[in-house]
Amino acid sequence: MSPAEVRSRGTNDRVNSLQREGRVKRESSRSKNVLAKRDVYSYALRSAYLSYLLEPRARRKEHVAAQKKLVQRPATSINDLVKDFSLIRDSRSTKFPHGFMSELEKRITLVLYGKEKMKEYDDPSVKRTFAAFLNEFKKPDYRKSVEKDRRVEDLLLIFFSNATKVLQQGKSPEDDAWKLMVDRHVALFVRLISATLKDHDWSRERPELATRLQTLEAKLLVHDQDLAAETQRNGGGGGTTIEVEVPRTYEVKDMVLVQGVAKIFGMSNGQVQEDIMDNKPNWTEEAALQDLKMYQTNLSLNTRKTLTHNDFDLDEGYESWKKAEVHDLAQLVMFILQSSPQLAKTSGNFLPQFQPAANGSGSDSGYSDLSRKMSEQSQSDPGSPYVVDQPVDMSFLNLDDVVDELPKDDQSYTYIPPDPRAFYRYVLNLALTHDLLDQELQPTEATEETPSIKLLSKQSTDLLNEIGIRWRIPQFSRLILLLDVVREKYINQEIPLDTVDAAFEFVKKPLDNKKGNKPNQIVQSSLFDRSKWTIADYALNQQVLSSLHDAFLRELFETFIQCYESKPPSIGPVMYVLEHHIYDDPLFAKTPEDLDEFADRVRGALREKARDMYGGMLAKELPGQLEQWEFFHVIQLGKSVIKLSEKIQKRWRKNPEAMGVNPFTILVEEVFPAYVADSRDIVKRIMDFAEKKGEPVPVQDGFDLYKELVDIRRVYSDTLPGVPFHFQIEDLLSDFVWRWIKLTDANMTGWVENATKADQFTVRVEGENQVPSDEERHSISVIDIFRSFNESIDQIVSLDWDDDFQYAKFMTAISKTVSSGLGRYCELVEQKFTKEMDRLTPQQEAEARLTRQEKWMQLAKDAWSQKEKIEPFQFLPESFVKLNNIEYAILQLDKLEHEVNVDACAEVIQRHEPQTKLHQQVDKYVFTIKIIEAEDLKACDINGLSDPYVVLGDEYQKRLAKTRIQYSNLNPRWDETVDIVTKGPLNIIATIWDWDALGDHDCVGRTSLKLDPSHFRDYLPREYWLDLDTQGRLLLRVSMEGERDDIQFYFGKAFRTLKRAERDMTRKITDKLSAYINHCLSRRTLKNLLNKPFTVSAVTGYFQRARTQSIQQQPGPSQADVANTLKPLFTYFDDNFAIMKQTLTDSAMVTVMTRLWKEVLATMESLIVPPLSDKPSSQRQLTQQELDIVFKWLEMLFDFFHAVDEDGVANGVPLDILKSPKYHEIVSMNYFYFLPTDDLIRESERIAAVSLQKRQQAAGAHAHRLSAPASLLSSSSSSSGHAFGGGAGLMGLPSTRRSKSILLSRNLGTMRRAKEEKRREQQAEPSDDIILRILRMRPEAERYLRDRSRQKERLAAAAAAEMIVRQSLLAGAAAAAAGGRGRIPGR
C-alpha cells in the first residue's frame, strides 16, 4: 500500500472519529443557515470599498508659473522688418527658388503632425499659428500669386497677420504678452524658411537671401533668446512642474472591485453609490484596523470567532495556519498604516517594525502569496497595498500590551461577516454564475501544461481574493468551496463538464512565480498536504468527490447507451475527469465492487441496445413478403452489420475498453450470431422458392452474397475466436461456382472462334515503318483469349474460397475449359496456317491453267532436261504471326500454371478424395500415335521414286490425321504425332499416298491397327512395324493414357496441344525449305563436284575403281569449291531468314532455325547411311572424298547456324542445341565408316555385351529394393532407336523408350526436364545402331543383321517385363505414402 493510501486511510479514520464527536456538525451548522442576499452584498461591498480606500492614490503633474516679468515690446514694426526685402524689387538673389513653395508646404505639414525634428515647434500654440497660415497658404489665388513673385515679404506679411489673429484670441485688452509671442512665432517661421533652403542646398545659390533671413530672425528675437529652452515655453513665462496627489472622488466609476460587486449582485451603480455614501462614515480605514486588532485578540485567546485547534485534525496543521495568520495580520496592518499614516499616532505598540533582511530569508505570507495566485494584477502592480517586500518584526505582537479585556460575545466586526465561510461561498456562487453567463468573457489561452479555461473573470478573481483576505478564509478552504459550488452547479445541470474540468485544473495549478516572487513554503505545504486542512474542508472534499463521481457515472451510463448511434457523444471527457480528478485523488473512497456493478449494468443495457439496432436493420433491409426476398437484401443486411461494426471498431480503436466495458465486443456477440442464423435461413428459403418457381438465382448474386458472408465470418472469427460459425458458407453456395464454370465452358468455344475470326494476324505497331518489339509481334486474338482465361480464373480466385478441396476442384474444372479453348484455338490457327502454306505459287497457278496434253508435254521436257525447279517460298507475314501467337500462348499458359499452383491443387485433391475414387475406372482413353517412318515403299513416279504421305482414318472412313509430304523418297521419315480419344477399342487404317501434281494421288499401300485399351493397361508405349498390302512397311509408336479429371492432366494436355501445334507449324515452314536442302545436300551435288572431263586416264581409273576399292584416290576439290556448292543454299537461307526476321520473335526464329538444323542433320545422315533395319540396303557407301566433303558441309553449316558476329557474339542457334545427340552420332560415323565388316561386327557384339551387363547389374540392384525411384520408369535399354521388325514388331512389343505423356508436359519446366533426361540417357547408354546402319550397306553382313535383330527383340521383351514389375511396385508405394492435408498457396 502506498504512503498516500496509508495517509488517506488514516485521515479518513480521524475524520470519522471527529464526526462522531460532532465537530464537523458544529462547524457546518453555520453554513446551513439561510443567508440574506442583502447581508452578503453589504459585507462584499465593504471589502471592495476598503480596497479602494487602501489603494495608492494616483498622482499627476502640475505646472507652477514663474513670477511675472515686465513685457518687453518689440522696437520695430513688421513693416520695418520686411523693408530690407521690399527695397530690392528685381534682385534674383532675394527671391525664393522655383519649387520652394511645395517644399515649404511639406515642412509646415510635418510641424502640424509633430514630426519636425526641432523641439521648439512642439508647442501647441505654435502648431495653431502654423495651421492658420497653412490654410491661407493653400488658397489657390494666393498660392498662384506667391509662386509667381516668390518674394519673402509676401509670406512674412500673411504669416504675421494670421499669427496676430490666433494669439490675440481670448486675451484681455490689458494683456499685451501675446504681442511678444507674435514676434517669436514669426521668428520660428523665418527659421523654418532658412532650414528649408539649407536642406535643399538653395542657400548657396542665394547667399544674400540667407543672410537677410538670419538678420530678420535676430531682430525678431529679444536679447537673442533660445526658442528651444524650457524658460521660453508657456509664452516665455517659464515656471516649474510638480507632482500632486489626485483627491479621491468616492465615485463608483473609479472603484473597480465595487463595480464587480454591483455586477454579480445585479445592482446598479447608483444604488451602490448611495450605499457607499450612506455608510462612508463607518466604513473607514480605522474600522478595518480595529477589525484586525479584534481578530488578533480572538486568535490569541483561541475564541470561536477564529479557527481553533479543534478545527484541525493535527496540531501541526493548526500551528502552521496560525503562524501564517500572524504574519499576514502584520502585513495587513502595515498596508492600512501606509494608506493612512495619521492612524499610526493612535496605534501605539500595535504598530509593527520593519527590519533588514538577514541571510536572505524573507517572511512567509500565505495570504499575500495566494493573492498573487488568484490575481495577476496584485503581482504586476508595484503600488499594491498588500505586498511588503521587507521582513516584519513580530516581537511587537505582545497580547498583554494590546488586549486589556476579553472581547464581548456580541461584539462584531465591521468588515468580517459572522460566518465568513458561508458568506464567501455565497459570493463565489454568484460570481461564477455571472461570469459563466458573460458572453464577452474569453477563455484563457491554452499552454503545454494547462488547457484553455473559462471559469472566473479577472475582476471576479480579484474581488474573491480581496474578500478572502479580509474575511480571513484560508486558501485551501477557498479552493474546496470553489469545487463545492462547481459540484452543485454541475449536478443541477447549470454548467457543462468542461467547467468542472477547468475548476479542477485551477485548483491543482501550482502558484505562479513568473514575477520572481518567492513562494510561501507554509502555504504550499498546507495547500497540498491535506493533513493540515481543517476537518470541515477535508470532509467537504470527500463529499464533493463522491457526489461528482455518482454524477459522472450517470452521465457515462447515458453516453454508453448512445454509443451505437450515428453521432453519439464522446465518453472521453467524462473518462478524463474521472481518471484524472476523481480516481487519482487519494480521498476518493469507492470500492472496485461498485465499479464492477456499474460495468455489469452498462453491459446489459448495451446488449439490449445492440439487439434493438439489429432488429431495426432487419426490418429496414428485408421486405415483409417471401416473394420479394432476394440475395440483395441479405447482402445489404450484411453490409449494414459490417458497416456498423467497422464504425464502432474505428470509433473505439484507440481505447477499445472503458470501465471494463467493450462496446464493440458486445455488439459482435449480439448482432453477428443473429445475422448468421438469419442469413442461413433466408438464403435457404430464397433458393427453395427459386427452385420451385423455376427461376434460379443469378450467379453474380451468389458471388456477392459469398463475399459478404466471408467478411462477416472474418470479423466474427477475429472478435469471437472461441465461438464456432453456425454453418459452412462454401457448402451452401458452391453450386453458384459450378454454374458459373459450366456457363464459362459453354461459352469458351464461341469466345475463341470470335476472337480468331476478328483477328487480322498482324503485328501491333502504330506506324508503318516502326520496327515491332517481341511483345508486339503477336496479334490480338491470343491476348483476348488469355484475357478471358485470366478473368475466368480471377473470378474464382477473387472469391477467396475458404475450402481447399472445393477450390482445387473448381480449378480443375476451369483448367479443363482452358484446355479445350486452347485446343480449339490451335485447331483454327493451324487450319488458317495450313491454308496459307499450301497455297499455289504463281508458276503452279500457271501450270494449273494448262491443258492435260500441255501438262504432259511440259513434264516430259523437264524429265528429259533433268530440270530441278527449286524456288524460294514466299512466306506471308500473317503465317509467322500465327506462330508467334502459339509461342506467346505457351508462355502465358506456363505463367497461368504457376499462378494457379497446379501441383498444390492436385495434391489437395489427392489427399481429400478417397483412394477408390482416385483409381476408379477410366471411361475415356487418349491414344498417342507417332508416325515414325516407312521403308521399301513402292515407286509410283516415272523417276522411280514416290512423294509419300500418310493418312490415318477409322473404320468408318473418318480422317483422323494427315502427315506432310516427303518428296522423292522410298524410305521416308515423318516423326509426326496425333492424339486420338476413344471410349473403347478402335480400328485405325493407315494409308500411304503418293502425291502427284497432275491427276489423282496414287495409293502406295495400306495397313491397319486395332487400338484396344485392354492391351495398354500397363500404360507403356509400343512400337509396331505394320506391313503394307503392296510392299514395304510402316513404323508406328502407340501409347495410351486414361483421360482423367485431373488438373495436371488438363494443363499437360493444353501444353502438348500448343507444343504440337508449334512443332507442326514450324515443320511446315521448314518443309518449304527442306526440298532445296535435299537438292543442295544430295549425292548428285557430290557427283557434280567430283566430276572431271573425260580422258583416257579417267576411263582407265573408272575400270580400276570397278575392280578394287583399294586404289589411291584422286585429289579432291578445294575448300573454295566445296564452299561454292553451299553458296546457293546460304543465299536461300538468308533470303528466307530476312523475311522471317521481320515478323517472327527472336525465340520463334531460333525455333525455326533449330528445326532447319535438324532437317540438315537428317539430310546428311540419310546421305551417309540408310535407316536402321534388319534388311540389307541398296544404298551405296560414300567414298572417302565424298565423306570428307559431307563433313566440310557439316562444319560450314554449323558455323552458319551458330552465326557468330565479328565481336564473337552468337546470334543464331545456341551451341547446346547445335551439338545434339544426332550431331555427335553423325560425327562418330567417321570412325566406323570405312572399318572392315568383321571389325564392325566384333564392335557391335562388344557394345551389345556391355549393354546386357549394365542391364543385368541394374536389375540386380533393383531386386534388393522395396520400391524404385521415378527415374526408373524410363528405359535404359540399348534400343535407343525403334525395335527391328519381325514377328515382335507385328505383335507390338512394349517399348522401353520413355513416352511423352500428358502429365510430363504439364508445364515448360517438366518438358525441359524430360528433354534433358532423354539426352542424358542417349549419351550414357552405348548403342550399336550406327554400326548396324553401316552394315546394311555391306551385303556380307545380312546374316548378322538378322541374328542381331532377334537378340534385341529378346532383350526388349525382358526389359519390358521388368518395367511392368517396377511400375507396379512404384504405384503401391505412392498409394501408401499419400495422406494428410495441405493448404493451396494463393494464386
Side-chain angles (χ1 to χ4, degrees):
M1 185 176 296
S2 65
E5 293 175 348
V6 172
R7 184 170 61 251
S8 175
R9 186 176 65 178
T11 306
N12 289 334
D13 294 338
R14 289 191 297 270
V15 170
N16 294 334
S17 64
L18 292 174
Q19 285 177 343
R20 285 193 297 269
E21 295 176 4
R23 295 184 183 179
V24 177
K25 183 177 180 181
R26 288 196 303 270
E27 294 296 331
S28 60
S29 62
R30 302 176 186 174
S31 61
K32 294 181 180 179
N33 297 330
V34 179
L35 300 179
K37 183 177 181 182
R38 183 68 185 178
D39 295 339
V40 179
Y41 158 73
S42 175
Y43 278 98
L45 183 60
R46 298 176 192 184
S47 297
Y49 175 68
L50 178 60
S51 173
Y52 170 72
L53 295 178
L54 297 180
E55 68 181 10
R57 297 183 184 179
R59 293 177 177 271
R60 66 186 178 189
K61 293 182 180 181
E62 289 186 357
H63 181 77
V64 180
Q67 187 175 0
K68 197 169 185 182
K69 298 180 181 180
L70 182 61
V71 179
Q72 299 178 0
R73 302 183 181 280
T76 58
S77 65
I78 188 62
N79 294 327
D80 297 333
L81 295 177
V82 300
K83 187 182 299 183
D84 295 337
F85 295 94
S86 61
L87 293 177
I88 307 173
R89 304 294 292 178
D90 299 326
S91 177
R92 178 179 177 273
S93 60
T94 58
K95 289 187 177 183
F96 292 121
H98 292 284
F100 173 78
M101 301 302 172
S102 299
E103 296 300 328
L104 179 62
E105 180 181 355
K106 294 179 182 178
R107 197 66 177 263
I108 295 175
T109 304
L110 293 177
V111 172
L112 298 182
Y113 281 110
K115 297 182 179 180
E116 176 58 48
K117 297 179 180 179
M118 293 183 286
K119 297 181 179 180
E120 55 267 29
Y121 293 93
D122 291 339
D123 192 276
S125 61
V126 174
K127 293 181 180 179
R128 290 197 300 271
T129 304
F130 275 71
F133 166 75
L134 184 61
N135 291 332
E136 189 69 25
F137 182 70
K138 286 185 177 181
K139 291 182 178 180
D141 296 339
Y142 178 75
R143 182 68 175 269
K144 183 177 180 181
S145 174
V146 171
E147 288 183 350
K148 178 180 179 182
D149 298 334
R150 294 181 286 123
R151 293 185 303 176
V152 179
E153 56 269 26
D154 295 340
L155 293 179
L156 291 175
L157 290 175
I158 194 63
F159 185 86
F160 177 82
S161 175
N162 285 279
T164 301
K165 293 179 182 179
V166 171
L167 296 175
Q168 190 179 8
Q169 291 179 358
K171 302 296 182 180
S172 60
E174 60 274 7
D175 187 4
D176 294 336
W178 61 271
K179 296 181 180 180
L180 184 59
M181 289 296 298
V182 173
D183 294 345
R184 292 190 178 124
H185 285 201
V186 174
L188 286 175
F189 181 67
V190 173
R191 182 177 295 183
L192 190 65
I193 293 175
S194 300
T196 305
L197 292 173
K198 184 178 180 181
D199 291 345
H200 292 81
D201 207 17
W202 285 325
S203 59
R204 293 184 181 181
E205 299 178 0
R206 291 169 170 76
E208 184 177 356
L209 177 61
T211 302
R212 291 179 180 274
L213 288 174
Q214 292 177 1
T215 304
L216 177 60
E217 181 182 351
K219 291 180 179 182
L220 289 171
L221 295 176
V222 178
H223 305 298
D224 294 332
Q225 294 174 346
D226 186 4
L227 295 178
E230 190 71 24
T231 57
Q232 296 302 315
R233 302 293 180 88
N234 195 29
T240 58
T241 302
I242 62 174
E243 286 188 354
V244 296
E245 286 188 353
V246 179
R248 293 193 185 103
T249 61
Y250 295 97
E251 295 181 0
V252 174
K253 63 181 182 63
D254 296 328
M255 306 176 188
V256 178
L257 296 186
V258 171
Q259 294 176 9
V261 172
K263 288 181 181 179
I264 64 176
F265 281 91
M267 308 291 287
S268 66
N269 289 348
Q271 292 174 331
V272 174
Q273 184 72 58
E274 183 179 353
D275 292 338
I276 290 175
M277 298 309 295
D278 291 343
N279 296 280
K280 181 180 176 183
N282 299 325
W283 297 349
T284 62
E285 298 94 325
E286 184 178 2
L289 185 60
Q290 185 64 30
D291 279 359
L292 293 177
K293 292 179 181 181
M294 188 183 303
Y295 183 85
Q296 183 181 359
T297 302
N298 290 322
L299 176 64
S300 301
L301 297 177
N302 198 20
T303 65
R304 294 291 304 275
K305 292 191 176 182
T306 64
L307 295 177
T308 66
H309 64 86
N310 293 328
D311 294 312
F312 291 87
D313 187 28
L314 300 177
D315 292 338
E316 180 185 356
Y318 173 71
E319 295 298 333
S320 176
W321 169 81
K322 184 175 181 180
K323 182 179 179 181
E325 196 76 354
V326 170
H327 178 270
D328 290 341
L329 289 175
Q331 277 198 337
L332 293 175
V333 169
M334 287 304 305
F335 296 153
I336 296 175
L337 296 179
Q338 284 181 350
S339 177
S340 301
Q342 68 275 8
L343 296 178
K345 299 177 181 180
T346 60
S347 297
N349 295 332
F350 188 79
L351 182 63
Q353 305 295 325
F354 290 98
Q355 61 183 5
N359 300 326
S361 62
S363 62
D364 297 324
S365 176
Y367 292 98
S368 63
D369 284 335
L370 288 172
S371 68
R372 286 192 290 272
K373 177 184 177 183
M374 296 287 286
S375 175
E376 294 182 359
Q377 177 65 29
S378 62
Q379 297 176 1
S380 59
D381 187 3
S384 175
Y386 310 117
V387 178
V388 178
D389 295 332
Q390 299 179 6
V392 182
D393 184 6
M394 300 299 175
S395 60
F396 77 96
L397 289 177
N398 187 353
L399 297 179
D400 295 335
D401 298 335
V402 178
V403 182
D404 295 332
E405 59 181 352
L406 292 175
K408 299 179 180 179
D409 291 339
D410 57 352
Q411 187 176 1
S412 61
Y413 302 104
T414 302
Y415 290 98
I416 302 176
D419 189 354
R421 185 185 180 92
F423 275 63
Y424 180 84
R425 188 184 186 282
Y426 196 105
V427 177
L428 176 61
N429 190 3
L430 292 178
L432 185 61
T433 303
H434 174 271
D435 290 343
L436 292 177
L437 296 176
D438 188 2
Q439 300 296 331
E440 298 180 357
L441 178 60
Q442 298 297 324
T444 61
E445 294 185 1
T447 63
E448 295 181 356
E449 299 178 355
T450 59
S452 177
I453 297 176
K454 181 181 179 181
L455 197 62
L456 291 170
S457 65
K458 185 180 181 304
Q459 189 179 42
S460 298
T461 304
D462 292 342
L463 176 63
L464 291 171
N465 180 57
E466 180 67 26
I467 64 176
I469 293 173
R470 292 299 163 193
W471 297 353
R472 310 313 303 149
I473 300 175
Q475 177 64 18
F476 47 79
S477 297
R478 300 185 219 170
L479 299 180
I480 296 304
L481 290 174
L482 173 63
L483 292 180
D484 186 40
V485 171
V486 169
R487 172 199 61 81
E488 180 182 6
K489 289 186 174 297
Y490 179 73
I491 293 176
N492 295 333
Q493 298 182 356
E494 297 178 16
I495 59 175
L497 184 65
D498 293 341
T499 305
V500 181
D501 180 42
F504 274 105
E505 293 293 340
F506 177 80
V507 169
K508 294 180 178 181
K509 185 171 63 172
L511 293 179
D512 191 359
N513 289 323
K514 291 187 294 183
K515 301 298 180 180
N517 297 320
K518 179 181 177 181
N520 190 311
Q521 299 298 329
I522 296 177
V523 176
Q524 288 282 1
S525 60
S526 63
L527 183 61
F528 298 104
D529 185 0
R530 299 180 181 180
S531 63
K532 298 180 180 180
W533 287 9
T534 64
I535 297 175
D537 291 326
Y538 192 93
L540 181 59
N541 192 9
Q542 280 190 327
Q543 181 183 356
V544 168
L545 292 177
S546 178
S547 179
L548 283 177
H549 178 259
D550 295 339
F552 291 155
L553 288 187
R554 287 192 296 271
E555 182 172 351
L556 189 63
F557 183 85
E558 296 298 329
T559 306
F560 264 121
I561 297 303
Q562 304 177 51
C563 69
Y564 297 145
E565 302 294 338
S566 58
K567 294 183 179 180
S570 175
I571 69 168
V574 183
M575 291 301 302
Y576 177 84
V577 176
L578 276 172
E579 293 175 357
H580 290 79
H581 303 316
I582 305 298
Y583 297 145
D584 287 350
D585 198 311
L587 292 185
F588 180 70
K590 287 288 185 179
T591 62
E593 290 75 11
D594 298 332
L595 300 181
D596 294 340
E597 181 182 358
F598 171 77
D600 293 339
R601 290 178 53 213
V602 173
R603 293 191 192 99
L606 285 180
R607 293 186 185 280
E608 184 67 26
K609 185 67 174 180
R611 289 191 289 268
D612 294 341
M613 294 291 293
Y614 176 72
M617 290 186 291
L618 184 64
K620 177 181 177 182
E621 301 296 344
L622 193 67
Q625 301 296 327
L626 175 62
E627 294 79 6
Q628 300 176 351
W629 288 4
E630 296 180 1
F631 281 1
F632 171 77
H633 300 118
V634 183
I635 294 173
Q636 290 302 115
L637 180 60
K639 287 182 178 180
S640 299
V641 171
I642 288 290
K643 183 178 179 181
L644 177 61
S645 62
E646 288 179 348
K647 181 172 65 175
I648 300 303
Q649 186 180 27
K650 181 179 179 181
R651 184 180 297 166
W652 294 81
R653 180 177 62 252
K654 294 183 179 179
N655 297 303
E657 186 173 298
M659 301 292 291
V661 178
N662 191 325
F664 175 70
T665 302
I666 295 175
L667 176 70
V668 174
E669 289 175 349
E670 290 296 326
V671 174
F672 278 30
Y675 171 75
V676 170
D678 291 344
S679 62
R680 177 191 56 194
D681 297 339
I682 294 172
V683 169
K684 286 184 178 180
R685 291 186 181 184
I686 292 175
M687 295 177 65
D688 293 343
F689 182 79
E691 184 177 357
K692 292 179 181 179
K693 194 176 180 181
E695 297 178 358
V697 179
V699 173
Q700 189 60 44
D701 290 354
F703 288 170
D704 296 339
L705 177 62
Y706 176 78
K707 293 178 181 178
E708 194 65 34
L709 291 178
V710 167
D711 289 341
I712 292 286
R713 184 171 60 187
R714 172 182 52 79
V715 180
Y716 187 95
S717 301
D718 293 342
T719 311
L720 307 173
V723 182
F725 205 71
H726 285 66
F727 68 99
Q728 186 67 19
I729 304 175
E730 286 72 19
D731 294 340
L732 183 64
L733 301 178
S734 61
D735 182 63
F736 290 95
V737 183
W738 288 116
R739 285 170 53 195
W740 183 85
I741 294 175
K742 183 177 180 181
L743 182 64
T744 302
D745 185 70
N747 295 331
M748 182 59 67
T749 302
W751 294 345
V752 171
E753 291 177 351
N754 292 333
T756 307
K757 183 178 180 180
D759 195 2
Q760 300 297 323
F761 293 98
T762 57
V763 294
R764 296 174 294 109
V765 292
E766 297 179 358
E768 297 181 356
N769 299 326
Q770 181 181 352
V771 178
S773 61
D774 280 1
E775 289 76 13
E776 298 172 339
R777 293 177 183 264
H778 48 269
S779 63
I780 196 65
S781 60
V782 68
I783 297 177
D784 291 342
I785 290 173
F786 272 92
R787 184 184 294 116
S788 63
F789 291 164
N790 282 285
E791 290 175 354
S792 302
I793 294 176
D794 288 341
Q795 181 65 42
I796 299 177
V797 173
S798 64
L799 295 175
D800 195 16
W801 204 260
D802 202 34
D803 188 292
D804 293 345
F805 178 67
Q806 291 183 2
Y807 176 81
K809 296 296 287 185
F810 295 156
M811 290 294 106
T812 301
I814 203 67
S815 65
K816 180 179 180 181
T817 301
V818 170
S819 179
S820 63
L822 285 176
R824 180 56 179 165
Y825 182 71
C826 291
E827 180 182 356
L828 295 174
V829 170
E830 283 192 274
Q831 289 177 0
K832 292 178 176 292
F833 184 83
T834 302
K835 184 177 180 180
E836 294 167 358
M837 298 301 293
D838 292 343
R839 74 185 190 281
L840 298 177
T841 63
Q843 185 176 358
Q844 290 174 340
E845 291 179 355
E847 292 177 353
R849 289 192 292 268
L850 297 176
T851 62
R852 186 176 183 85
Q853 184 176 2
E854 290 174 344
K855 292 179 181 178
W856 281 108
M857 291 295 295
Q858 184 65 35
L859 185 60
K861 290 179 181 180
D862 294 341
W864 178 260
S865 62
Q866 297 183 353
K867 179 181 178 181
E868 294 290 343
K869 297 185 290 185
I870 305 298
E871 299 177 356
F873 186 78
Q874 297 299 321
F875 295 100
L876 296 177
E878 299 85 48
S879 303
F880 294 145
V881 171
K882 293 180 178 65
L883 180 59
N884 292 339
N885 286 359
I886 298 299
E887 179 202 28
Y888 176 82
I890 293 174
L891 297 176
Q892 292 299 311
L893 184 63
D894 184 67
K895 179 181 178 182
L896 190 64
E897 192 265 351
H898 285 85
E899 291 177 349
V900 173
N901 207 340
V902 170
D903 293 339
C905 291
E907 181 182 0
V908 169
I909 293 177
Q910 184 180 5
R911 291 178 179 179
H912 283 74
E913 284 191 339
Q915 294 296 321
T916 55
K917 186 174 182 179
L918 290 174
H919 297 285
Q920 64 183 359
Q921 185 176 2
V922 181
D923 57 351
K924 284 188 179 181
Y925 303 92
V926 180
F927 283 95
T928 302
I929 302 176
K930 183 174 184 179
I931 305 171
I932 302 176
E933 62 178 346
E935 66 176 23
D936 197 21
L937 296 181
K938 179 180 70 173
C940 297
D941 295 337
I942 58 177
N943 58 0
L945 299 172
S946 295
D947 302 322
Y949 65 91
V950 181
V951 175
L952 293 182
D954 60 7
E955 54 191 354
Y956 303 104
Q957 297 182 356
K958 178 183 178 181
R959 175 180 289 189
L960 301 177
K962 174 187 174 183
T963 67
R964 68 187 188 281
I965 302 171
Q966 293 287 354
Y967 295 96
S968 303
N969 200 334
L970 298 180
N971 298 290
R973 189 177 185 90
W974 292 279
D975 286 328
E976 295 190 24
T977 306
V978 62
D979 288 340
I980 298 176
V981 180
T982 179
K983 294 184 178 180
L986 177 67
N987 292 319
I988 62 170
I989 300 173
T991 305
I992 302 179
W993 296 89
D994 171 61
W995 179 85
D996 288 328
L998 301 175
D1000 296 332
H1001 299 180
D1002 301 325
C1003 180
V1004 178
R1006 184 180 287 105
T1007 186
S1008 63
L1009 176 66
K1010 183 178 182 179
L1011 302 179
D1012 192 347
S1014 62
H1015 297 164
F1016 291 85
R1017 290 178 180 176
D1018 53 3
Y1019 295 102
L1020 294 176
R1022 287 170 170 76
E1023 293 182 350
Y1024 295 91
W1025 272 109
L1026 303 176
D1027 293 329
L1028 301 178
D1029 56 356
T1030 53
Q1031 74 174 56
R1033 55 183 181 174
L1034 176 66
L1035 178 61
L1036 301 179
R1037 181 181 294 127
V1038 183
S1039 61
M1040 186 195 73
E1041 289 183 86
E1043 184 167 304
R1044 298 179 296 172
D1045 187 23
D1046 183 83
I1047 188 171
Q1048 292 178 328
F1049 177 84
Y1050 292 131
F1051 268 92
K1053 185 177 181 181
F1055 267 108
R1056 192 160 71 169
T1057 301
L1058 289 172
K1059 292 298 291 185
R1060 188 170 294 170
E1062 182 187 43
R1063 183 190 60 199
D1064 293 343
M1065 294 169 69
T1066 304
R1067 182 171 289 170
K1068 284 183 173 63
I1069 293 175
T1070 57
D1071 284 348
K1072 298 301 180 181
L1073 310 179
S1074 61
Y1076 198 67
I1077 294 174
N1078 293 329
H1079 171 73
C1080 295
L1081 304 178
S1082 63
R1083 289 179 177 259
R1084 179 179 299 176
T1085 305
L1086 290 174
K1087 180 179 179 181
N1088 294 335
L1089 183 60
L1090 296 174
N1091 276 345
K1092 301 292 183 180
F1094 281 95
T1095 60
V1096 177
S1097 60
V1099 175
T1100 305
Y1102 172 77
F1103 286 104
Q1104 290 177 351
R1105 286 194 302 273
R1107 289 194 302 270
T1108 178
Q1109 295 182 0
S1110 62
I1111 63 173
Q1112 184 177 2
Q1113 295 292 334
Q1114 295 292 332
S1118 63
Q1119 184 72 18
D1121 295 336
V1122 176
N1124 289 333
T1125 57
L1126 293 183
K1127 280 186 178 180
L1129 180 61
F1130 290 158
T1131 302
Y1132 185 74
F1133 281 161
D1134 289 337
D1135 294 341
N1136 286 279
F1137 287 169
I1139 298 174
M1140 297 177 188
K1141 190 64 177 176
Q1142 294 177 358
T1143 309
L1144 287 178
T1145 62
D1146 293 341
S1147 56
M1149 189 70 191
V1150 171
T1151 302
V1152 173
M1153 293 178 67
T1154 301
R1155 183 63 200 173
L1156 277 176
W1157 173 247
K1158 292 181 180 180
E1159 291 289 339
V1160 169
L1161 294 180
T1163 302
M1164 288 194 169
E1165 183 185 35
S1166 64
L1167 190 63
I1168 299 174
V1169 293
L1172 185 63
S1173 178
D1174 59 345
K1175 297 180 180 180
S1177 175
S1178 60
Q1179 182 174 334
R1180 178 182 62 83
Q1181 188 171 345
L1182 297 177
T1183 64
Q1184 185 65 53
Q1185 286 184 343
E1186 291 173 335
L1187 189 62
D1188 291 342
I1189 293 173
V1190 171
F1191 279 106
K1192 289 180 181 179
W1193 285 348
L1194 181 62
E1195 181 180 358
M1196 294 178 184
L1197 287 167
F1198 184 92
D1199 295 337
F1200 176 82
F1201 278 91
H1202 192 39
V1204 178
D1205 56 17
E1206 298 176 354
D1207 298 331
V1209 179
N1211 299 312
V1213 182
L1215 280 177
D1216 58 336
I1217 297 178
L1218 291 175
K1219 294 183 178 181
S1220 61
K1222 180 64 69 176
Y1223 172 80
H1224 290 291
E1225 189 176 290
I1226 294 174
V1227 172
S1228 65
M1229 290 181 184
N1230 195 20
Y1231 174 75
F1232 299 105
Y1233 201 72
F1234 293 107
L1235 288 179
T1237 302
D1238 294 340
D1239 294 344
L1240 291 175
I1241 292 175
R1242 283 194 294 271
E1243 183 66 20
S1244 175
E1245 291 175 346
R1246 185 190 67 79
I1247 294 174
V1250 172
S1251 177
L1252 178 61
Q1253 183 180 3
K1254 288 186 176 182
R1255 183 178 292 108
Q1256 291 174 351
Q1257 292 176 354
H1262 287 296
H1264 298 287
R1265 297 182 184 178
L1266 294 177
S1267 61
S1271 61
L1272 293 179
L1273 289 175
S1274 63
S1275 171
S1276 60
S1277 69
S1278 61
S1279 91
S1280 59
H1282 52 77
F1284 285 105
L1290 292 173
M1291 294 175 60
L1293 184 67
S1295 172
T1296 58
R1297 181 188 300 271
R1298 174 188 291 273
S1299 63
K1300 295 181 180 179
S1301 66
I1302 292 178
L1303 291 180
L1304 291 178
S1305 304
R1306 62 180 180 271
N1307 56 44
L1308 293 179
T1310 57
M1311 296 169 72
R1312 281 193 293 267
R1313 289 193 294 271
K1315 186 178 294 185
E1316 289 297 327
E1317 187 175 348
K1318 177 182 178 182
R1319 175 175 292 189
R1320 288 195 299 269
E1321 290 177 359
Q1322 291 177 347
Q1323 294 175 353
E1325 182 68 24
S1327 176
D1328 60 345
D1329 289 351
I1330 295 299
I1331 297 176
L1332 296 176
R1333 295 174 72 175
I1334 296 175
L1335 289 176
R1336 286 195 65 195
M1337 297 184 293
R1338 310 284 179 89
E1340 61 273 18
E1342 179 179 0
R1343 182 177 180 181
Y1344 177 76
L1345 289 174
R1346 186 170 55 254
D1347 294 340
R1348 179 73 178 113
S1349 173
R1350 293 173 182 173
Q1351 180 186 10
K1352 295 183 76 172
E1353 290 171 1
R1354 290 194 297 271
L1355 293 176
E1362 179 185 354
M1363 183 172 292
I1364 293 174
V1365 175
R1366 289 205 308 270
Q1367 190 175 21
S1368 300
L1369 291 174
L1370 287 174
R1381 282 182 176 267
R1383 176 71 181 175
I1384 303 179
R1387 182 183 177 190

